[in-house]
Amino acid sequence: MKTNTVNTLMLGIALVFTGVAQAQNVQINWQKNYGGTSNDIATDIVRTSDGGYAVAGYTTSNNIDVTGAISGEDAWILKLNAQGDIVWKRIYGGSGDDRANAIVQTGNGDLFFAGTTNSENGDITAPKGGFDAWAVRLNSNGDVLWSRNLGGSDDDAFFDVTQGPDGNTLLLAGESKSEIMGTTNRGGYDYYLASVNRNDGSTNFQKQYGGSADDGARAMIRFQGATYLVGTTASDNGDVVGNKGGTDVWLVRAANNGDLTLAKTYGGPDNDEGNAIGKGSALYLTGSTLSDTGDLNSNFGGRDFFVAKVDAQGMISFARNYGGGADDVAYEIVGTPDGGAIVAGYSESASGNVANNFGAKDIWGAKIGSNGNLQLARNFGGADDEIAYAFVPVSATSVVFAGYSESDDVNLNNNKGNADYWVFRVTSTSAASIGAFADVSAADGEIAALSTYPNPAVDVLTIQSSTGLTQVRLFDMTGRMLLSEPVNALQFDMNVSDLPSGLYILSAVAADGTNLTQHVVVK
C-alpha cells in the first residue's frame, strides 16, 4: 500500500532522520537481500498484524530464494517476520509477465496485492487483452482466495490499492489505455480508479480521468472523506486544466462513487512527475521535477525530488525541490506530526542537498520541515544501484525500507546476483530520541500507541496501533456501547457517517494486550 499516515510513529521516523547529522545516532538495525541470480525488484511493503512484513514485487529469477518461477516476470510476495526472516514466499502469475506493484492488509488479516499481467493461464482466469490491471486476494498463508483481471482490450495496470470508505471494498488506482464499459477513455493512457468488493472481487465501479495525451496515476490515499490520486499528466484538455508545460504532477479527488470532484496540476515548464501521496494535517505529494519556474523556484540539476504540501482543495502551502547535480527521484512520502514529511527514493548526486554518494544510485531519505525546509538527509547503499520504492514505520524510532539493490559493499554484503529485493531497518540509537516516547518494550522497541485520523471525523475514522489491534469499541459519553468489532490488523476503518456530531470514547485492545482509550470527535 503506497500510502502512509500521521501518528506517533511518524514523529519517530522524523527522529531517525534528525539523528543523521551524527552518524553514530543512526544505524542499520538489520538488512536482508532476497532473490536469485536474475533481477528481483521489491515495489511495496506493508506492516502485518503479527509484527512482521509483507513485501510485494516481481522476479525473473528461478534459484536461491526464488522457487516455483513460471515464466518471464512473476509476481513475488514475501512474508517476513519482525527480523526480516522469510516466513513464506510465493510466486503468482502465468506464462506471460506479471508484476505486483502494491500490497495492503485488511482488518481480517488477508493480504491484497495489485499490479499488472499479460498472462492467460496459471493464476489468471479471465484475460481481457494486452496487459490487464490485476488484483489478488490472499489469506495469511499466501493462498489465492480470488484473482481478478480488470480493464479492457488494451494495456491497463494498477499501481496502488487501499481499503474503501466502508471497509468492505477495495480501491485500486493506476492507468488504462482501454475502452472500459461504464467509463470513457479520453485518449492515450488515463488515470484509472476501480472499486471492488473485498470478499469476492466483484466490481462496484470503474472510472477514467484525463485528457487526450497520457495520464497515469501512481498512488492514492483516503483523506477527509474522499479519495485522492496522484500521478503524471501530459494532457491539457478533458479533465486536465492548466498544464504548466511538459508533463505535470496531477492531483485528482474522487467522491465515494468515483465521480471527479477536483483536479489540479503542479510543476513548471519542464517535465514533472508524481509518484506518491501521503497525509497528515495536509496532503503531501512527491515525485521528481526538471523545472525551475512555475510552482518551483530552483533546480539543482537533472531531476530533483519534488515535494508539495497542499490542503483538501489542492491549494499549495509549499512546493519545493531537493537534490543535487544529477538525478534524484522520490517514490514515497509520509506526513509527520510537526507538519513536515519524510520522503525517500534515490539519488545519483553528491552535491547540493546530497552530502555524499556511494556510487550510481543510492537510496536517499530526507526529513522536511513544515515550511518545506530540508532539515536532514541520509544515503544508504553501495557502489551499484539502489532504489527505495516504499517504507513503513516500525516503532517510535525505526523505519523499514523496501526496494532493490545491486551492490555487495558498503551497507550490503549478500547480493544474490543482479538486482535483489533489499529490505532494511534503520533505528535511531539516541537516548534522547527513545526517551521521548513513554515505555519501550524490551522485545522490539515497540510502543502500544493508539492513533486516529481524521479527528474530527466526518464519515470514516481510521484507527491504528503500532503493535496491531485485536478489538475496537466506541462509546457515547453516557457509556453506552455503539460499536464493537474484532480486528486482526495494524489499522481499522470505522464508519461513523451515521453518528450524530459530538464527542465519543474509543476503546481498543492492542496485540500486546494493552488497553488503549482516546476521545474522538464526529462532525
Side-chain angles (χ1 to χ4, degrees):
M1 176 185 62
K2 308 191 80 54
T3 53
N4 291 280
T5 55
V6 56
N7 53 37
T8 304
L9 295 179
M10 303 314 171
L11 183 55
I13 300 175
L15 289 173
V16 169
F17 282 92
T18 301
V20 168
Q22 297 182 12
Q24 67 269 24
N25 288 339
V26 176
Q27 63 183 23
I28 294 180
N29 205 209
W30 54 258
Q31 60 93 12
K32 300 285 180 75
N33 288 57
Y34 315 91
T37 53
S38 192
N39 286 322
D40 318 287
I41 310 294
T43 55
D44 199 13
I45 186 170
V46 64
R47 190 92 189 278
T48 51
S49 56
D50 60 2
Y53 312 92
V55 184
Y58 59 95
T59 179
T60 57
S61 296
N62 193 22
N63 54 10
I64 309 179
D65 294 326
V66 184
T67 55
I70 304 170
S71 178
E73 294 175 345
D74 295 324
W76 194 36
I77 307 298
L78 302 183
K79 176 64 183 73
L80 309 177
N81 65 17
Q83 291 74 43
D85 300 320
I86 295 175
V87 178
W88 54 258
K89 53 191 179 180
R90 298 286 288 270
I91 291 285
Y92 306 92
S95 58
D97 288 327
D98 318 282
R99 291 187 177 189
N101 293 325
I103 192 164
V104 67
Q105 186 180 49
T106 59
N108 63 358
D110 286 347
L111 294 166
F112 296 82
F113 74 79
T116 186
T117 177
N118 69 350
S119 295
E120 298 183 358
N121 52 16
D123 296 312
I124 313 305
T125 57
K128 299 181 179 300
F131 276 90
D132 292 342
W134 186 34
V136 180
R137 177 186 177 186
L138 309 175
N139 65 17
S140 59
N141 295 318
D143 301 321
V144 175
L145 300 180
W146 54 253
S147 172
R148 298 286 182 269
N149 286 46
L150 286 84
S153 59
D154 216 314
D155 289 340
D156 316 284
F158 289 135
F159 292 98
D160 205 359
V161 56
T162 193
Q163 292 192 80
D166 62 0
N168 294 315
T169 57
L170 290 172
L171 294 171
L172 300 137
E175 64 187 19
S176 173
K177 206 174 182 180
S178 300
E179 293 288 346
I180 301 171
M181 185 177 296
T183 187
T184 302
N185 180 272
R186 273 74 170 171
Y189 284 100
D190 289 342
Y191 275 31
Y192 179 28
L193 177 65
S195 170
V196 302
N197 185 285
R198 187 180 74 175
N199 292 325
D200 61 11
S202 58
T203 304
N204 299 314
F205 68 76
Q206 299 179 86
K207 299 286 186 177
Q208 289 172 291
Y209 321 102
S212 59
D214 285 337
D215 320 286
R218 290 297 181 268
M220 68 177 160
I221 205 162
R222 292 284 301 171
F223 184 69
Q224 296 188 5
T227 303
Y228 289 80
L229 296 85
V230 72
T232 304
T233 180
S235 299
D236 196 16
N237 54 15
D239 298 321
V240 185
V241 178
N243 181 281
K244 301 177 185 302
T247 59
D248 291 340
V249 177
W250 195 38
L251 178 69
V252 164
R253 183 180 68 198
N256 288 342
N257 64 358
D259 289 347
L260 184 69
T261 59
L262 178 77
K264 295 277 189 178
T265 58
Y266 307 92
D270 217 317
N271 287 336
D272 316 290
E273 64 179 14
N275 290 329
I277 184 168
K279 66 180 178 182
S281 58
L283 290 168
Y284 303 85
L285 319 178
T286 198
S288 70
T289 178
L290 282 165
S291 299
D292 58 3
T293 57
D295 293 322
L296 290 308
N297 57 17
S298 65
N299 181 275
F300 291 96
R303 292 187 290 175
D304 292 341
F305 274 31
F306 169 85
V307 176
K309 179 180 178 181
V310 305
D311 65 15
Q313 302 304 314
M315 300 301 293
I316 294 174
S317 173
F318 69 75
R320 298 281 291 273
N321 60 306
Y322 313 88
D327 279 345
D328 316 289
V329 178
Y331 289 106
E332 184 68 290
I333 194 165
V334 55
T336 53
D338 61 1
I342 302 296
V343 60
Y346 77 84
S347 173
E348 294 182 284
S349 300
S351 60
N353 300 141
V354 187
N356 66 300
N357 179 273
F358 297 121
K361 295 180 176 73
D362 289 346
I363 289 174
W364 193 47
K367 171 64 176 70
I368 298 162
S370 60
N371 60 358
N373 288 339
L374 180 65
Q375 294 178 332
L376 288 160
R378 173 74 187 266
N379 290 56
F380 305 96
D384 288 304
D385 284 345
E386 283 78 44
I387 295 179
Y389 288 114
F391 61 85
V392 291
V394 178
S395 72
T397 53
S398 294
V399 59
V400 171
F401 291 89
Y404 77 83
S405 171
E406 296 179 343
S407 298
D408 202 17
D409 54 8
V410 191
N411 296 143
L412 297 109
N413 57 16
N414 191 31
N415 181 268
K416 310 295 176 70
N418 290 299
D420 294 340
Y421 279 28
W422 190 32
V423 179
F424 62 100
R425 174 171 170 165
V426 175
T427 301
S428 170
T429 58
S430 166
S433 299
I434 296 171
F437 293 94
D439 295 328
V440 179
S441 71
D444 198 32
E446 304 297 335
I447 298 173
L450 186 68
S451 65
T452 58
Y453 61 89
N455 192 2
V458 177
D459 56 356
V460 175
L461 177 71
T462 297
I463 305 157
Q464 288 187 324
S465 171
S466 56
T467 60
L469 297 162
T470 60
Q471 185 83 27
V472 294
R473 296 185 178 92
L474 189 70
F475 300 85
D476 65 18
M477 295 308 292
T478 69
R480 182 168 61 101
M481 187 168 66
L482 306 176
L483 181 145
S484 178
E485 290 284 348
V487 184
N488 181 27
L490 292 170
Q491 175 177 308
F492 177 75
D493 290 337
M494 180 184 291
N495 189 339
V496 296
S497 59
D498 294 331
L499 294 178
S501 299
L503 184 65
Y504 295 84
I505 300 169
L506 175 69
S507 174
V509 179
D512 63 0
T514 305
N515 291 298
L516 306 165
T517 59
Q518 187 175 109
H519 285 93
V520 296
V521 176
V522 174
K523 281 191 173 181

